[in-house]
Amino acid sequence: MGAGATLFTSCKMAPKQDPGDTVAASVFAPIDTAALHRKQRAEQARLRNAKDSINIFYIGAGSTDKKIQLISYPSQRDTLTYSKARHMKRSGSTDAGHIVRVKFYVSRGDSLVQGLEEVAK
């Protein structure tokens, strides 16, 4: 019994560790705001200098039964809305957010979307 009682007692000479509401320096890592700003500027420069593909677009969420919303690929800076041709051909998924190649048809000066072909899945 005597040996069991000594296992659960603590040493009275050990220092008490009560750091309060301080944090150890090994846990604290400050945010490097300069690196964050450099990364944001590099991303903005990449988007500004991006060359958009010809006839390749993202399908926008604003597409309806009669109209189709096309967003420039890859920069996503420009949004265009075109009417659909009466007999539009589709290949692959042409839902909103998908990347498609667009075939245009000019009818009396108006550009109509005649076909959509999914480029990437």
Side-chain angles (χ1 to χ4, degrees):
M1 270 294 227
T6 59
L7 292 177
F8 295 112
T9 61
S10 63
C11 178
K12 295 188 190 247
M13 300 300 286
K16 183 177 178 185
Q17 293 184 353
D18 186 17
D21 52 340
T22 59
V23 178
S26 62
V27 176
F28 179 72
I31 298 172
D32 188 4
T33 56
L36 182 64
H37 289 301
R38 279 194 303 272
K39 183 178 178 184
Q40 288 174 345
R41 282 194 305 266
E43 180 67 20
Q44 290 170 352
R46 186 185 66 80
L47 289 176
R48 263 194 315 265
N49 297 332
K51 303 284 188 226
D52 288 334
S53 297
I54 298 174
N55 293 342
I56 297 179
F57 299 93
Y58 291 104
I59 300 289
S63 299
T64 62
D65 292 341
K66 304 269 185 211
K67 300 228 178 235
I68 187 162
Q69 182 183 32
L70 301 174
I71 303 169
S72 62
Y73 175 83
S75 70
Q76 299 184 6
R77 284 184 285 188
D78 302 320
T79 302
L80 308 166
T81 304
Y82 287 99
S83 297
K84 294 179 181 178
R86 186 172 293 174
H87 300 289
M88 188 172 74
K89 297 180 182 179
R90 299 173 187 205
S91 173
S93 178
T94 57
D95 295 331
H98 287 259
I99 302 170
V100 294
R101 179 174 287 118
V102 180
K103 294 178 186 171
F104 291 102
Y105 172 72
V106 179
S107 171
R108 296 185 201 125
D110 293 335
S111 295
L112 303 174
V113 175
Q114 182 180 19
L116 297 174
E117 175 187 353
E118 184 179 22
V119 176
K121 295 183 181 187

